[in-house]
PDB file of all heavy atoms in Angstrom:
ATOM      1  N   ARG A  48     -11.666  11.344  -8.414  1.00 90.00           N
ATOM      2  CA  ARG A  48     -11.212  10.989  -7.132  1.00 90.00           C
ATOM      3  C   ARG A  48      -9.684  11.123  -7.090  1.00 90.00           C
ATOM      4  O   ARG A  48      -8.960  10.690  -8.019  1.00 90.00           O
ATOM      5  CB  ARG A  48     -11.563   9.511  -6.903  1.00 90.00           C
ATOM      6  CG  ARG A  48     -13.140   9.354  -6.749  1.00 90.00           C
ATOM      7  CD  ARG A  48     -13.524   7.974  -6.381  1.00 90.00           C
ATOM      8  NE  ARG A  48     -13.235   7.794  -4.988  1.00 90.00           N
ATOM      9  CZ  ARG A  48     -12.994   6.649  -4.365  1.00 90.00           C
ATOM     10  NH1 ARG A  48     -13.095   5.546  -5.093  1.00 90.00           N
ATOM     11  NH2 ARG A  48     -12.799   6.527  -3.053  1.00 90.00           N
ATOM     12  N   ARG A  49      -9.175  11.766  -6.040  1.00 94.00           N
ATOM     13  CA  ARG A  49      -7.764  12.005  -5.930  1.00 94.00           C
ATOM     14  C   ARG A  49      -7.189  11.356  -4.691  1.00 94.00           C
ATOM     15  O   ARG A  49      -7.846  11.180  -3.705  1.00 94.00           O
ATOM     16  CB  ARG A  49      -7.533  13.529  -5.828  1.00 94.00           C
ATOM     17  CG  ARG A  49      -8.040  14.345  -6.998  1.00 94.00           C
ATOM     18  CD  ARG A  49      -7.155  14.181  -8.216  1.00 94.00           C
ATOM     19  NE  ARG A  49      -7.594  15.012  -9.304  1.00 94.00           N
ATOM     20  CZ  ARG A  49      -8.126  14.585 -10.376  1.00 94.00           C
ATOM     21  NH1 ARG A  49      -8.339  13.274 -10.594  1.00 94.00           N
ATOM     22  NH2 ARG A  49      -8.493  15.403 -11.324  1.00 94.00           N
ATOM     23  N   LEU A  50      -5.932  11.064  -4.678  1.00 95.00           N
ATOM     24  CA  LEU A  50      -5.168  10.550  -3.516  1.00 95.00           C
ATOM     25  C   LEU A  50      -5.175  11.549  -2.459  1.00 95.00           C
ATOM     26  O   LEU A  50      -4.622  12.652  -2.577  1.00 95.00           O
ATOM     27  CB  LEU A  50      -3.798  10.094  -3.913  1.00 95.00           C
ATOM     28  CG  LEU A  50      -2.962   9.482  -2.870  1.00 95.00           C
ATOM     29  CD1 LEU A  50      -3.485   8.086  -2.423  1.00 95.00           C
ATOM     30  CD2 LEU A  50      -1.459   9.317  -3.321  1.00 95.00           C
ATOM     31  N   VAL A  51      -5.730  11.187  -1.260  1.00 96.00           N
ATOM     32  CA  VAL A  51      -5.727  12.165  -0.111  1.00 96.00           C
ATOM     33  C   VAL A  51      -4.953  11.536   1.049  1.00 96.00           C
ATOM     34  O   VAL A  51      -4.682  12.260   2.050  1.00 96.00           O
ATOM     35  CB  VAL A  51      -7.125  12.562   0.324  1.00 96.00           C
ATOM     36  CG1 VAL A  51      -7.803  13.357  -0.772  1.00 96.00           C
ATOM     37  CG2 VAL A  51      -8.002  11.331   0.669  1.00 96.00           C
ATOM     38  N   GLY A  52      -4.608  10.318   0.961  1.00 96.00           N
ATOM     39  CA  GLY A  52      -3.874   9.616   2.128  1.00 96.00           C
ATOM     40  C   GLY A  52      -3.578   8.230   1.796  1.00 96.00           C
ATOM     41  O   GLY A  52      -3.922   7.691   0.749  1.00 96.00           O
ATOM     42  N   ILE A  53      -2.950   7.575   2.829  1.00 97.00           N
ATOM     43  CA  ILE A  53      -2.708   6.159   2.711  1.00 97.00           C
ATOM     44  C   ILE A  53      -2.828   5.586   4.146  1.00 97.00           C
ATOM     45  O   ILE A  53      -2.512   6.265   5.097  1.00 97.00           O
ATOM     46  CB  ILE A  53      -1.332   5.850   2.113  1.00 97.00           C
ATOM     47  CG1 ILE A  53      -1.250   4.369   1.620  1.00 97.00           C
ATOM     48  CG2 ILE A  53      -0.168   6.252   2.958  1.00 97.00           C
ATOM     49  CD1 ILE A  53      -0.342   4.194   0.464  1.00 97.00           C
ATOM     50  N   VAL A  54      -3.296   4.376   4.201  1.00 97.00           N
ATOM     51  CA  VAL A  54      -3.391   3.661   5.489  1.00 97.00           C
ATOM     52  C   VAL A  54      -2.610   2.400   5.401  1.00 97.00           C
ATOM     53  O   VAL A  54      -2.796   1.634   4.483  1.00 97.00           O
ATOM     54  CB  VAL A  54      -4.888   3.375   5.876  1.00 97.00           C
ATOM     55  CG1 VAL A  54      -4.954   2.536   7.062  1.00 97.00           C
ATOM     56  CG2 VAL A  54      -5.622   4.669   6.136  1.00 97.00           C
ATOM     57  N   SER A  55      -1.767   2.124   6.394  1.00 95.00           N
ATOM     58  CA  SER A  55      -0.946   0.962   6.441  1.00 95.00           C
ATOM     59  C   SER A  55      -1.475   0.146   7.620  1.00 95.00           C
ATOM     60  O   SER A  55      -2.159   0.552   8.494  1.00 95.00           O
ATOM     61  CB  SER A  55       0.540   1.315   6.619  1.00 95.00           C
ATOM     62  OG  SER A  55       0.743   1.796   7.931  1.00 95.00           O
ATOM     63  N   ARG A  56      -0.977  -1.078   7.650  1.00 93.00           N
ATOM     64  CA  ARG A  56      -1.249  -2.049   8.739  1.00 93.00           C
ATOM     65  C   ARG A  56      -0.734  -1.412  10.067  1.00 93.00           C
ATOM     66  O   ARG A  56      -1.469  -1.485  11.122  1.00 93.00           O
ATOM     67  CB  ARG A  56      -0.630  -3.422   8.520  1.00 93.00           C
ATOM     68  CG  ARG A  56      -1.010  -4.383   9.627  1.00 93.00           C
ATOM     69  CD  ARG A  56      -0.420  -5.734   9.349  1.00 93.00           C
ATOM     70  NE  ARG A  56      -1.053  -6.315   8.160  1.00 93.00           N
ATOM     71  CZ  ARG A  56      -0.511  -7.276   7.412  1.00 93.00           C
ATOM     72  NH1 ARG A  56       0.723  -7.661   7.657  1.00 93.00           N
ATOM     73  NH2 ARG A  56      -1.110  -7.672   6.360  1.00 93.00           N
ATOM     74  N   GLY A  57       0.351  -0.767  10.066  1.00 91.00           N
ATOM     75  CA  GLY A  57       0.876  -0.105  11.256  1.00 91.00           C
ATOM     76  C   GLY A  57      -0.026   1.044  11.714  1.00 91.00           C
ATOM     77  O   GLY A  57      -0.139   1.208  12.890  1.00 91.00           O
ATOM     78  N   ASP A  58      -0.603   1.714  10.731  1.00 91.00           N
ATOM     79  CA  ASP A  58      -1.536   2.808  11.154  1.00 91.00           C
ATOM     80  C   ASP A  58      -2.792   2.230  11.900  1.00 91.00           C
ATOM     81  O   ASP A  58      -3.251   2.856  12.832  1.00 91.00           O
ATOM     82  CB  ASP A  58      -2.054   3.568   9.905  1.00 91.00           C
ATOM     83  CG  ASP A  58      -0.976   4.354   9.222  1.00 91.00           C
ATOM     84  OD1 ASP A  58      -0.072   4.877   9.851  1.00 91.00           O
ATOM     85  OD2 ASP A  58      -1.058   4.457   7.943  1.00 91.00           O
ATOM     86  N   LEU A  59      -3.241   1.069  11.443  1.00 90.00           N
ATOM     87  CA  LEU A  59      -4.353   0.459  12.091  1.00 90.00           C
ATOM     88  C   LEU A  59      -3.989  -0.010  13.525  1.00 90.00           C
ATOM     89  O   LEU A  59      -4.764   0.184  14.474  1.00 90.00           O
ATOM     90  CB  LEU A  59      -4.838  -0.813  11.275  1.00 90.00           C
ATOM     91  CG  LEU A  59      -5.391  -0.556   9.903  1.00 90.00           C
ATOM     92  CD1 LEU A  59      -5.931  -1.860   9.318  1.00 90.00           C
ATOM     93  CD2 LEU A  59      -6.487   0.447   9.923  1.00 90.00           C
ATOM     94  N   LEU A  60      -2.830  -0.592  13.670  1.00 86.00           N
ATOM     95  CA  LEU A  60      -2.364  -0.984  15.015  1.00 86.00           C
ATOM     96  C   LEU A  60      -2.202   0.212  15.914  1.00 86.00           C
ATOM     97  O   LEU A  60      -2.588   0.172  17.081  1.00 86.00           O
ATOM     98  CB  LEU A  60      -1.052  -1.726  14.930  1.00 86.00           C
ATOM     99  CG  LEU A  60      -1.162  -3.116  14.243  1.00 86.00           C
ATOM    100  CD1 LEU A  60       0.220  -3.687  14.010  1.00 86.00           C
ATOM    101  CD2 LEU A  60      -2.006  -4.035  15.033  1.00 86.00           C
ATOM    102  N   ALA A  61      -1.680   1.313  15.370  1.00 85.00           N
ATOM    103  CA  ALA A  61      -1.457   2.531  16.234  1.00 85.00           C
ATOM    104  C   ALA A  61      -2.843   3.152  16.599  1.00 85.00           C
ATOM    105  O   ALA A  61      -2.902   3.746  17.689  1.00 85.00           O
ATOM    106  CB  ALA A  61      -0.641   3.507  15.447  1.00 85.00           C
ATOM    107  N   ALA A  62      -3.892   2.890  15.821  1.00 81.00           N
ATOM    108  CA  ALA A  62      -5.136   3.540  16.080  1.00 81.00           C
ATOM    109  C   ALA A  62      -5.884   2.811  17.250  1.00 81.00           C
ATOM    110  O   ALA A  62      -6.827   3.311  17.824  1.00 81.00           O
ATOM    111  CB  ALA A  62      -6.054   3.532  14.805  1.00 81.00           C
ATOM    112  N   MET A  63      -5.498   1.613  17.493  1.00 77.00           N
ATOM    113  CA  MET A  63      -6.108   0.800  18.545  1.00 77.00           C
ATOM    114  C   MET A  63      -5.564   1.086  19.846  1.00 77.00           C
ATOM    115  O   MET A  63      -4.312   1.101  20.066  1.00 77.00           O
ATOM    116  CB  MET A  63      -6.025  -0.662  18.208  1.00 77.00           C
ATOM    117  CG  MET A  63      -6.584  -1.093  16.911  1.00 77.00           C
ATOM    118  SD  MET A  63      -8.367  -1.071  16.859  1.00 77.00           S
ATOM    119  CE  MET A  63      -8.743   0.591  16.360  1.00 77.00           C
ATOM    120  N   ASP A  64      -6.427   1.367  20.862  1.00 68.00           N
ATOM    121  CA  ASP A  64      -5.888   1.575  22.135  1.00 68.00           C
ATOM    122  C   ASP A  64      -5.769   0.255  22.882  1.00 68.00           C
ATOM    123  O   ASP A  64      -6.244  -0.753  22.439  1.00 68.00           O
ATOM    124  CB  ASP A  64      -6.795   2.535  22.975  1.00 68.00           C
ATOM    125  CG  ASP A  64      -8.251   2.119  22.948  1.00 68.00           C
ATOM    126  OD1 ASP A  64      -8.517   0.871  22.967  1.00 68.00           O
ATOM    127  OD2 ASP A  64      -9.125   3.016  22.938  1.00 68.00           O
TER     128      ASP A  64
END
Side-chain angles (χ1 to χ4, degrees):
R48 295 185 75 204
R49 303 284 185 249
L50 182 68
V51 294
I53 196 149
V54 171
S55 70
R56 185 177 294 153
D58 295 326
L59 296 184
L60 292 172
M63 299 290 88
D64 53 37

